[in-house]
Amino acid sequence: MVFATTPTPPYTAVIFTSLRTPGDHGYTTMSARMEKLAAAQPGYLGIESARTGEQGITVSYWVDEAAAAAWKQVAEHLLAQERGARVWYTDYRVRVATVTRDYGPAREDGHSPRPGRSH
Amino acid sequence: MVFATTPTPPYTAVIFTSLRTPGDHGYTTMSARMEKLAAAQPGYLGIESARTGEQGITVSYWVDEAAAAAWKQVAEHLLAQERGARVWYTDYRVRVATVTRDYGPAREDGHSPRPGRSH
């Protein structure tokens, strides 16, 4: 994983900050499966993830809040959430946000080029 | 760092995803200094950060977009940004977002309790 390729704002970011419990308990397998499953959902844009010790941050990007909400309700994802709260995570926060502005060093606006746009 | 203590939405999240260059080159000192300086700014709510190898995600939270924009323009932070683009980061993305909804396991809405609210 490097950077998610996201379009011109607005789009939706789901910021998931977590504290892991010790041990794997099937976490690695589930995590890989959920990334693959998320990527197959309508409106999925990309995912970015990092972990320092037990502290993890995963940001998933979606075309809109409806797409993010639909992903939350996918059956297999609901099971993972339930197991996450019970087994994998000591604590977590989910923040659903609307990205209004983005930029990076390469291009002033930081998103993928679109034909016909002039900057 | 654990979880940022954030109020009832809306508030602003600045998602900074980065790829580090090899070596420290003063990064650790600057990073600690910037966290301290950010925490002293008006409208600062908190920060969450994680890193896997060269890939880092830092999310800073602000009362509104104006507070986040003011922090971007603080003189010492401008110098750090300039040095970051030149020395510390191979690449990065900044995404400014409005958090519209949040939750966690402890309380359904995941934010700090406020007197007089009924949920």
Side-chain angles (χ1 to χ4, degrees):
Chain A
M1 192 275 302
V2 231
F3 296 101
T5 302
T6 45
T8 309
Y11 53 90
T12 295
V14 179
I15 306 163
F16 176 67
T17 312
S18 62
L19 279 178
R20 284 285 314 280
T21 51
D24 190 77
H25 308 291
Y27 172 79
T28 305
T29 306
M30 173 284 298
S31 179
R33 170 72 188 144
M34 285 305 120
E35 285 207 19
K36 200 177 159 184
L37 193 61
Q41 299 308 307
Y44 171 89
L45 294 173
I47 200 164
E48 294 172 349
S49 195
R51 174 168 298 282
T52 300
E54 73 273 27
Q55 169 94 33
I57 302 179
T58 296
V59 188
S60 62
Y61 299 99
W62 302 88
V63 289
D64 55 26
E65 239 184 86
W71 163 236
K72 189 179 189 316
Q73 297 305 324
V74 168
E76 197 176 336
H77 186 206
L78 285 173
L79 286 174
Q81 290 170 62
E82 187 276 324
R83 190 162 165 79
R86 198 161 40 80
V87 179
W88 294 311
Y89 302 116
T90 307
D91 201 358
Y92 63 85
R93 297 289 181 279
V94 180
R95 294 180 173 99
V96 182
T98 304
V99 178
T100 55
R101 203 155 50 82
D102 60 13
Y103 56 94
R107 294 171 48 82
E108 190 46 41
D109 55 6
H111 48 67
S112 45
R114 281 182 178 177
R117 297 180 73 233
S118 56
H119 51 236
Chain B
M1 192 274 305
V2 231
F3 297 102
T5 303
T6 45
T8 311
Y11 52 89
T12 295
V14 179
I15 308 162
F16 177 65
T17 312
S18 62
L19 279 177
R20 284 286 313 280
T21 50
D24 190 79
H25 308 291
Y27 172 80
T28 305
T29 305
M30 174 285 297
S31 178
R33 169 72 188 147
M34 285 305 120
E35 284 206 19
K36 200 176 159 186
L37 192 62
Q41 300 307 307
Y44 171 89
L45 295 173
I47 199 164
E48 294 172 349
S49 194
R51 173 168 300 282
T52 301
E54 74 272 30
Q55 169 96 32
I57 302 179
T58 296
V59 189
S60 62
Y61 299 99
W62 302 87
V63 288
D64 54 26
E65 238 184 88
W71 162 236
K72 188 179 189 316
Q73 296 305 322
V74 168
E76 198 176 336
H77 187 205
L78 284 172
L79 286 173
Q81 290 170 63
E82 187 276 324
R83 189 162 165 81
R86 197 161 41 81
V87 179
W88 294 311
Y89 302 116
T90 308
D91 201 356
Y92 63 85
R93 298 288 182 278
V94 180
R95 293 180 173 97
V96 182
T98 304
V99 177
T100 55
R101 203 154 51 83
D102 59 14
Y103 57 94
R107 296 170 49 80
E108 189 46 39
D109 55 7
H111 49 68
S112 44
R114 282 183 178 178
R117 298 179 74 232
S118 57
H119 55 236

